[in-house]
Amino acid sequence: MGPLQGVKVVELAGIGPGPFACMMLAELGAEVLRIDRPGGGLSFGPPELDLVNRGRRSVALDLKNPAAAGVVRRLVAQADVLVEGFRPGVAERLGLGPDDLQAINPKLVYGRMTGWGQDGPLAQAAGHDIDYIALSGALHLIGRAGGPPQVPANVLGDFAGGSLYLVIGVLAALHEAQRSGRGQIVDAAIVDGSAHLTTMMLGALAAGSWKQERGTNLLDTGAPFYDVYETSDGKHVAVGALEQPFYDELITKLGINAPDRNDPANWPELRKVLTETFLQRTQAEWTEEFDGSDACVAPVLSLAADHPHLVARGTFVEKDGVRQAAPAPRFSRTPTSLDRPPVRAGQHTREALAEWGITDIDDLLETGAAVQL
């Protein structure tokens, strides 16, 4: 199942963006073997609910043990991709760096997931999503006029600027390796990816149509017709009526007399009218009012909500008793699937190593190089 069927990936387990990228590769059809440390790593709940670890089996190896590192080298000899998220230099000290592994498998695509990248003054510094998007300028974009930047959870940095760029890089390198017969290193840094995501705004800034001051631009709540508004029940709706026909429909549906929006001097008055109007009805009532219209109004829903459109598309699914997002994107001939739930570290050590042709499993378990849960 999935367009990557037949691709084999070895994942040296980390947290956050690396696992999310490997989850995506698994959902696209790749066989991903996750190498966990004995006992596992950081989790935000029970391992069986750590959804970014879904889709693959887990082998527990103590990579500080030379025999365990040797197992990884044997696995890599059969793999198309390796993904690691260590600080720069750690994989090399374990004997698992790109030079070590590409000497064994010249076609190996070696994916590296970090916050700051493999080089530069901050390469060895600790950091998290909020730090990377701060330095890239992406965090500066988010917030209201006169207020501080607002933190967008870790979706923008870790998963958009990190995981997705790693997956794009791995897929591009796999494609190139089919022609050249040679693998290469994919250096995916969250600071780079999140900076790249600001490309449209950088062009607008150069053109003079975007200002550095947050909350003053067309798409950052500066414009009252692109903002969120509270409803009478304390919930919110999102308004994105940018184009004139959509805005005209918004005003008609609301039944209001609005000042000319093309003059920014009128924006404070327009915002006041919109605020007062949306407060007159509940979110459900406004949702019904705008259902099927082109006014570009949508309810701001909680996580994994049951909206008719989401239900019709199967955007969220129940799998193993857990509500979760279905794989994306979708394919017409090679559909993706959720075939494996999240697992505990080392749950598949014996069976997975055997399937990958490792024969000295008993010795590895007896010496502690490998652990079977």
Side-chain angles (χ1 to χ4, degrees), residues 38-204:
L42 177 66
S43 177
F44 292 100
E48 60 270 19
L49 298 179
D50 196 352
L51 295 179
V52 297
N53 291 337
R54 69 189 186 188
R56 57 260 203 221
R57 293 180 294 182
S58 170
V59 168
L61 295 176
D62 179 4
L63 295 182
K64 294 180 181 179
N65 186 312
V71 172
V72 174
R73 287 190 284 271
R74 283 185 276 169
L75 297 172
V76 162
Q78 312 166 50
D80 302 288
V81 180
L82 177 130
V83 172
E84 60 93 356
F86 301 134
R87 286 199 201 189
V90 172
E92 284 81 355
R93 290 196 292 273
L94 294 170
L96 300 174
D99 292 342
D100 303 301
L101 301 187
Q102 288 176 334
I104 299 168
N105 182 354
K107 290 186 67 175
L108 182 73
V109 172
Y110 195 108
R112 316 198 84 163
M113 182 75 263
T114 60
W116 300 118
Q118 295 299 311
D119 53 33
L122 293 176
Q124 293 295 333
H128 280 296
D129 176 293
I130 193 170
D131 306 302
Y132 314 134
I133 66 174
L135 204 70
S136 72
L139 183 59
H140 175 80
L141 295 172
I142 305 168
R144 295 192 174 275
Q150 296 297 312
V151 181
N154 65 326
V155 174
L156 174 57
D158 280 352
F159 301 132
S163 305
L164 297 188
Y165 278 82
L166 177 59
V167 170
I168 291 168
V170 164
L171 296 180
L174 277 172
H175 179 70
E176 194 278 337
Q178 292 177 344
R179 299 196 308 270
S180 68
R182 299 173 58 197
Q184 59 183 304
I185 301 167
V186 179
D187 176 5
I190 299 170
V191 68
D192 296 342
S194 58
H196 192 253
L197 289 169
T198 68
T199 297
M200 186 184 80
M201 287 74 177
L202 294 174

